[in-house]
Amino acid sequence: MSIIRSERTAAGLLLGAAALGLLLANTPVGPALVDLQHSHLGAGPFDLSVGHWISDGLLAIFFFIVAVELKHELVVGELNSVQKAIHPAIAAVAGVVVPAGLYLALTAGSGLPQGWPIPTATDIAFALGVLAVFGRGLPNRLRVFLLALAVLDDLIAILIIAVFFTTDPNLLELLLAAVTIALFGVLSGMLRGRMRWPLGVLMVLLAVLAWWLVYDSGVHATIAGVALGLVMARQPAGRVTHVLEPWSNGVILPLFAFSAALVVIPQVSPSELSPAFWGILVALPVGKLIGITLGGWLGSFTKRGAERGRISVFGLITVAALGGIGFTVSLLMNELAFAGSEEVRAEGTLAVLLGSAVAIVVSGFLVSALARRNRRQHPHPQAHAQPHVDAHPDS
């Protein structure tokens, strides 16, 4: 299981699954796979299509892990004070505002403004994977800054999903979900001794109930995973995410990437592609690069940014390029934003994949160059190599 926990492996599986989905969708087996994606599993209130089970069900587990990581950083990590959080926070906000604005500028008058959140997301697993592959010898502060930035980016993405992709929510079901989630949190603090297994089973049942209540209320079901991760006591949450992480890296995220990439490449000339395609394709790598670099540079003038040994402008540009790898959350937002238009959604998926590919190539080159320069300046890599940071040391 240790190899599947590797950031490099996680990034490779994501890329491979997306490439395979796109390839197979454009072969004779493509229609059969799309039919399978639309076929239904379950019964009664749990009767969902295979695609929805993946994006609304399995992906909630990924967001649970993200929320546990976020809580860890907020409580004892790199975001546990305003001073610590201010530098990456400024970079994260600018890294959302600039791509969104660039998308809106490029799609002005097209009637497709709802796609603005798509280029605002960073895939934390993929970005850290690229850094791990090409960044041998880089100082750990660069990885820590990227991690803090990506965690804040995920928080903004969660808020965007909750606010902008929710229509006419059922308030009673949301209230019941809140009570269920609160009870889940209380029980998580009692997980010890002989009561661990009975309470664990009860918590799983409560988690499933909370997920269904949120899904049925009209709020995207991944928000249930976020809420459960935030309320769970830190020590058991760390143990649970340690168990779930290989399944998330090795099964859930590749399945989602494969399912999201099952789109037929439009047989049209570039001029006939939707403005949303060009907006996402440009705003994701370019908007993130400009926004995070600008925000990171401005944030470096804060007291905390100065105290921690400033990241160079080259380092900020490198982190910003990594931030342009949208992938998982961008693909999810594309599905939500263009749910009513299959053609635009397909083009949006292609734009996310191509924009992320551009960011992967550019960031890989920049990370390699920065690492080579750092190794020349510090010829003793043992003293400067970036160690793996255990996100949950109490687990």
Side-chain angles (χ1 to χ4, degrees):
M1 284 291 187
S2 60
I3 191 172
I4 303 180
R5 297 183 194 279
S6 162
E7 292 159 353
R8 299 172 182 170
T9 303
L13 289 172
L14 262 178
L15 182 60
L20 182 62
L22 186 61
L23 175 65
L24 292 180
N26 291 275
T27 65
V29 301
L33 288 172
V34 172
D35 288 343
L36 175 62
Q37 186 185 43
H38 293 153
S39 62
H40 278 237
L41 289 176
F46 293 96
D47 182 19
L48 302 176
S49 70
V50 172
H52 276 118
W53 274 120
I54 294 171
S55 62
D56 292 341
L58 292 180
L59 208 59
I61 298 173
F62 164 72
F63 274 90
F64 170 84
I65 296 172
V66 168
V68 172
E69 177 75 29
L70 172 62
K71 182 177 180 178
H72 173 83
E73 295 299 327
L74 290 171
V75 175
V76 297
E78 285 300 308
L79 305 173
N80 70 342
S81 70
V82 174
Q83 279 193 332
K84 282 186 178 182
I86 189 66
H87 188 192
I90 294 172
V93 170
V96 169
V97 172
V98 173
L102 186 55
Y103 172 89
L104 290 171
L106 290 170
T107 60
S110 67
L112 297 169
Q114 70 270 31
W116 68 265
I118 299 168
T120 64
T122 294
D123 191 305
I124 184 171
F126 221 130
L128 290 174
V130 172
L131 189 65
V133 170
F134 298 103
R136 183 176 63 85
L138 284 178
N140 191 51
R141 67 174 178 272
L142 199 72
R143 184 186 188 279
V144 170
F145 182 77
L146 174 62
L147 179 63
L149 169 74
V151 167
L152 287 166
D153 190 283
D154 280 340
L155 174 60
I156 296 172
I158 289 164
L159 293 174
I160 289 173
I161 292 171
V163 173
F164 293 98
F165 295 118
T166 298
T167 55
D168 299 324
N170 186 313
L171 297 181
L172 176 59
E173 287 185 322
L174 281 179
L175 177 61
L176 292 174
V179 172
T180 305
I181 291 166
L183 181 57
F184 175 92
V186 171
L187 293 180
S188 71
M190 302 165 59
L191 281 174
R192 59 179 65 90
R194 289 180 298 178
M195 294 301 294
R196 177 179 293 182
W197 282 106
L199 287 179
V201 172
L202 179 57
M203 286 175 63
V204 170
L205 295 175
L206 287 173
V208 172
L209 176 60
W211 173 85
W212 181 82
L213 286 168
V214 172
Y215 173 81
D216 202 53
S217 73
V219 176
H220 197 268
T222 53
I223 300 301
V226 173
L228 292 166
L230 290 176
V231 302
M232 191 172 187
R234 279 183 52 239
Q235 192 166 2
R239 290 196 298 266
V240 170
T241 55
H242 184 77
V243 173
L244 291 176
E245 187 180 40
W247 294 99
S248 177
N249 289 350
V251 179
I252 293 171
L253 292 180
L255 258 180
F256 175 74
F258 179 85
S259 176
L262 275 177
V263 296
V264 178
I265 297 175
Q267 301 299 311
V268 297
S269 66
S271 62
E272 295 176 301
L273 288 167
S274 164
F277 172 87
W278 298 108
I280 297 166
L281 179 61
V282 174
L284 185 54
V286 177
K288 278 289 189 180
L289 183 65
I290 296 171
I292 294 174
T293 301
L294 180 60
W297 177 74
L298 292 172
S300 67
F301 292 101
T302 62
K303 181 180 177 182
R304 185 66 186 183
E307 283 177 357
R308 300 195 61 195
R310 288 183 185 171
I311 298 173
S312 66
V313 174
F314 190 6
L316 285 175
I317 292 172
T318 302
V319 170
L322 288 164
I325 305 173
F327 237 83
T328 307
V329 181
S330 288
L331 288 172
L332 174 62
M333 287 187 171
N334 179 67
E335 287 193 1
L336 297 174
F338 299 127
S341 175
E342 186 173 344
E343 182 180 345
V344 178
R345 186 169 69 250
E347 293 185 14
T349 297
L350 291 175
V352 169
L353 296 178
L354 290 173
S356 295
V358 170
I360 290 168
V361 172
V362 172
S363 61
F365 173 80
L366 292 174
V367 169
S368 297
L370 186 62
R372 282 196 304 271
R373 189 177 77 169
N374 192 73
R375 289 195 297 271
R376 285 197 302 269
Q377 293 173 346
H378 305 285
H380 302 292
Q382 294 301 322
H384 298 277
Q386 50 177 347
H388 176 74
V389 178
D390 184 358
H392 308 290
D394 58 350
S395 62

